[in-house]
Amino acid sequence: MSDQALKHCPPACVSCGLRKLDAFTPVTPDQLKYIEAFRSGFSQVDAGATVIHEGSPNGKLFTLYSGWAFRYKTLSDGRRQILNFLLPGDFIGLQQEFADGAMHGIEAITGITLCVFPRDGLLELFRDYPSLGFDVTWLASREEGMVDDALLSAGRRTAAESIAMLLMHLYRRVQRLGLERGADAEGASIEFPINQQHIADALGLSLVHTNKTLRRLHKLGLHEIRDGQLRLHNTRALERIADYYDRPLRKVPLL
Amino acid sequence: MSDQALKHCPPACVSCGLRKLDAFTPVTPDQLKYIEAFRSGFSQVDAGATVIHEGSPNGKLFTLYSGWAFRYKTLSDGRRQILNFLLPGDFIGLQQEFADGAMHGIEAITGITLCVFPRDGLLELFRDYPSLGFDVTWLASREEGMVDDALLSAGRRTAAESIAMLLMHLYRRVQRLGLERGADAEGASIEFPINQQHIADALGLSLVHTNKTLRRLHKLGLHEIRDGQLRLHNTRALERIADYYDRPLRKVPLL
DNA sequence: CGACATGTTGAGATGGATCAACACTTGTGG
DNA sequence: CCACAAGTGTTGATCCATCTCAACATGTCG
């Protein structure tokens, strides 16, 4: 499936392009119908625009259908921390419902398409389709796992280790979605719409240091970022540097 | 309620000491009965012992009944990052079920008591009591919110800001449980069983720097840690330094 | 008593921050 | 068509928050 086909969210979940991907657990026709009824519509957000404002207590629930986005928090003087990157299939907005701490914002990196769900239908979903409720928990828990990893990077990894980790992590996630670009002369690659400022904010580094470290890894022949594409030239080395080894991939639920 | 009464987990949930606390949302007698049936027993772990080993794929689910513990990850050369601290009422082990990334370990700080639940009964719980399933999601989401905050600290706060944040955060959590020690001559305090190495590992700092920063805050008259007790002498200043302002507290579900 | 965990302090080293330029590209308005 | 601003990436120089190393104090416990 080309990612071109994923640009726009189709009106009916039955013809959902995402769901056809191998990465997601299949659902029964019943469940699919319920999800479609639960969904209140879809929405598009331009690159760079804010999907959910930091600290806004209300909002809807979303499934990211296409494009990249990120969750973030900022301190009052403007220092920003990206909490994690959001890729197609990610469920958005749960914490807004629950957290009693301060909230996070969500910003689109590329233009994105979202399936929208009403916040107050969630309990009903748990009631009517417990296994879908279970899936929501699955997704929440999986996302927490990603933040755990990010915290390990920010807290204990060096800049080079963190960057190696992030490149591997994002590459693998895109790869699992089946969106890896077929091998051209230089090998496989993925779309990589984030800039060095995003990387810096995700890892708790300064922009300048991020640039220098990225440059160093590039000169070591580990990777290449060009024209919005990421190519990994030596995943073995990157894994070793990041001290991160991939687990067998599992299918992920999709709401 | 004195925390003495919370030392041991009673055999029946009806007489659960935790549940009497104001901090938790009440449950119906039906739900309580179900929870009691779901619970397979309880367990004690000594201070310093490991509850769940890092990377162990299986395990049970727990509710921490009494004492302090923490979730952590380590890099292969031993660098350790504490992901968050666990206090009574926290639900433990969800990520073990779901995460496809590497897993975390859990270690007891004090002696702790745990209610044990079988991992494979969870889906059944979602089916039989959707609102309890909803609560599980609630708890997962709330925990993610805490990790989000920790990531903001590790990534973007200075050492002093991070420490101020952590002190406030832990104080407030204990306070919400109703475990604040009544005011003696020097004002209110909480039990504070963690040492400087724990603080360092939670914030991504070195032990030495943690000590010096803690000393500095103490000399500024902001707090005092002595005899395993934490006293905050100037919460206003701590909040300002940490750039963290408390939200109105909400009741938390308890499983 | 010694072993060990914990906290404290100083000295020196360094990873990463900050400041300051500059190059390149893209879009925009004149 | 050019002139210009804005966003992004690059690089060097310098600074400093934090790390590492090293020593010592204290308390607990067997």
Side-chain angles (χ1 to χ4, degrees):
Chain A
M1 145 144 302
S2 92
D3 53 339
Q4 200 50 241
L6 284 179
K7 279 287 146 50
H8 294 289
C9 187
C13 292
V14 205
S15 50
C16 173
L18 256 193
R19 206 172 284 283
K20 287 176 184 134
L21 295 178
D22 202 39
F24 299 102
T25 52
V27 292
T28 67
D30 252 19
Q31 290 175 329
L32 190 59
K33 213 177 284 179
Y34 188 85
I35 291 173
E36 180 151 354
F38 180 33
R39 190 177 73 144
S40 67
F42 62 93
S43 155
Q44 280 183 258
V45 177
D46 290 337
T50 299
V51 181
I52 297 181
H53 281 279
E54 209 174 353
S56 85
N58 286 317
K60 301 173 169 165
L61 300 169
F62 307 95
T63 289
L64 181 55
Y65 181 78
S66 69
W68 289 47
F70 62 87
R71 294 199 307 125
Y72 67 94
K73 285 188 164 222
T74 55
L75 295 172
S76 58
D77 66 358
R79 279 173 288 173
R80 180 173 77 169
Q81 177 68 41
I82 290 181
L83 302 168
N84 67 359
F85 291 101
L86 302 169
L87 297 184
D90 284 344
F91 193 60
I92 299 175
L94 259 191
Q95 296 90 353
Q96 238 66 12
E97 172 98 24
F98 298 122
D100 37 18
M103 283 143 193
H104 58 255
I106 292 181
E107 186 177 313
I109 296 174
T110 64
I112 62 176
T113 322
L114 301 152
C115 298
V116 186
F117 303 98
R119 146 176 322 292
D120 51 18
L122 194 58
L123 183 53
E124 195 182 323
L125 176 137
F126 272 70
R127 207 174 284 128
D128 296 342
Y129 283 86
S131 68
L132 292 181
F134 198 71
D135 286 346
V136 171
T137 308
W138 208 108
L139 290 169
S141 202
R142 169 172 170 274
E143 183 169 300
E144 177 176 346
M146 292 196 282
V147 183
D148 286 350
D149 276 329
L151 178 54
L152 179 59
S153 284
R156 291 305 187 197
R157 276 191 254 250
T158 66
E161 291 167 348
S162 293
I163 288 183
M165 173 75 190
L166 184 65
L167 295 181
M168 287 300 309
H169 169 78
L170 289 175
Y171 198 100
R172 287 277 155 80
R173 281 178 68 193
V174 173
Q175 198 176 37
R176 285 178 194 193
L177 287 174
L179 298 179
E180 192 180 31
R181 285 284 193 94
D184 58 16
E186 309 186 50
S189 69
I190 60 167
E191 290 286 343
F192 200 66
I194 69 181
N195 61 30
Q196 298 186 350
Q197 185 66 64
H198 290 123
I199 297 179
D201 285 344
L203 302 177
L205 300 170
S206 73
L207 176 58
V208 173
H209 194 57
T210 299
N211 176 285
K212 287 172 180 171
T213 308
L214 225 25
R215 220 82 253 296
R216 213 172 84 230
L217 295 183
H218 171 76
K219 275 183 193 141
L220 289 171
L222 300 186
H223 79 287
E224 179 168 22
I225 298 173
R226 210 181 41 193
D227 304 325
Q229 301 273 320
L230 167 65
R231 250 177 253 281
L232 301 186
H233 292 133
N234 191 343
T235 54
R236 208 66 52 79
L238 285 169
E239 285 182 331
R240 190 170 34 70
I241 292 171
D243 192 22
Y244 168 70
Y245 305 96
D246 215 28
R247 306 249 148 186
L249 23 72
R250 257 201 268 179
K251 294 200 187 224
V252 173
L254 174 67
L255 212 66
Chain B
M1 146 145 299
S2 93
D3 53 339
Q4 200 50 242
L6 284 178
K7 278 287 146 49
H8 295 290
C9 186
C13 292
V14 206
S15 50
C16 175
L18 256 192
R19 206 171 286 281
K20 286 175 188 135
L21 296 179
D22 201 39
F24 299 104
T25 53
V27 293
T28 66
D30 253 19
Q31 289 175 330
L32 190 60
K33 214 178 281 178
Y34 188 86
I35 291 173
E36 179 150 354
F38 180 33
R39 189 177 74 144
S40 67
F42 61 93
S43 156
Q44 281 182 258
V45 177
D46 290 336
T50 298
V51 181
I52 297 180
H53 283 278
E54 208 174 353
S56 84
N58 286 316
K60 300 172 169 163
L61 299 169
F62 306 96
T63 289
L64 181 54
Y65 181 77
S66 69
W68 288 48
F70 62 87
R71 294 198 308 125
Y72 66 95
K73 285 188 164 222
T74 55
L75 295 171
S76 59
D77 66 358
R79 280 174 286 173
R80 180 173 78 169
Q81 177 67 41
I82 290 181
L83 303 168
N84 67 359
F85 290 100
L86 302 169
L87 297 183
D90 285 345
F91 193 59
I92 299 175
L94 260 189
Q95 295 90 353
Q96 238 65 14
E97 172 99 23
F98 297 122
D100 37 18
M103 283 141 194
H104 60 254
I106 292 181
E107 186 177 312
I109 296 173
T110 64
I112 62 177
T113 323
L114 302 151
C115 298
V116 187
F117 304 96
R119 146 175 321 291
D120 50 17
L122 194 58
L123 183 52
E124 195 183 322
L125 174 138
F126 272 69
R127 205 173 288 126
D128 297 341
Y129 283 86
S131 67
L132 291 181
F134 197 70
D135 286 346
V136 170
T137 307
W138 208 109
L139 290 169
S141 203
R142 170 172 170 272
E143 183 168 301
E144 177 176 346
M146 292 196 281
V147 183
D148 286 350
D149 276 330
L151 178 53
L152 178 58
S153 284
R156 291 306 187 197
R157 276 192 254 250
T158 66
E161 291 167 348
S162 293
I163 288 183
M165 173 75 189
L166 184 65
L167 296 182
M168 286 300 309
H169 170 78
L170 289 175
Y171 198 99
R172 287 277 154 81
R173 281 178 68 192
V174 173
Q175 197 175 38
R176 284 177 194 194
L177 288 174
L179 298 178
E180 192 181 30
R181 285 284 192 92
D184 57 16
E186 310 187 51
S189 70
I190 61 167
E191 290 286 343
F192 200 67
I194 71 181
N195 61 33
Q196 298 185 350
Q197 184 67 63
H198 290 124
I199 297 178
D201 285 345
L203 302 178
L205 300 171
S206 73
L207 176 58
V208 173
H209 195 58
T210 299
N211 176 286
K212 287 172 180 171
T213 307
L214 224 25
R215 221 81 252 297
R216 212 172 84 231
L217 295 183
H218 174 227
K219 277 183 194 141
L220 289 172
L222 301 186
H223 79 287
E224 178 169 23
I225 297 172
R226 210 181 42 193
D227 304 327
Q229 302 272 320
L230 167 65
R231 250 178 254 279
L232 302 185
H233 291 133
N234 191 343
T235 55
R236 208 65 54 78
L238 286 169
E239 285 183 331
R240 191 171 33 71
I241 293 171
D243 193 20
Y244 168 70
Y245 305 95
D246 215 27
R247 306 247 149 189
L249 22 72
R250 257 202 270 180
K251 294 197 187 229
V252 173
L254 174 66
L255 215 68

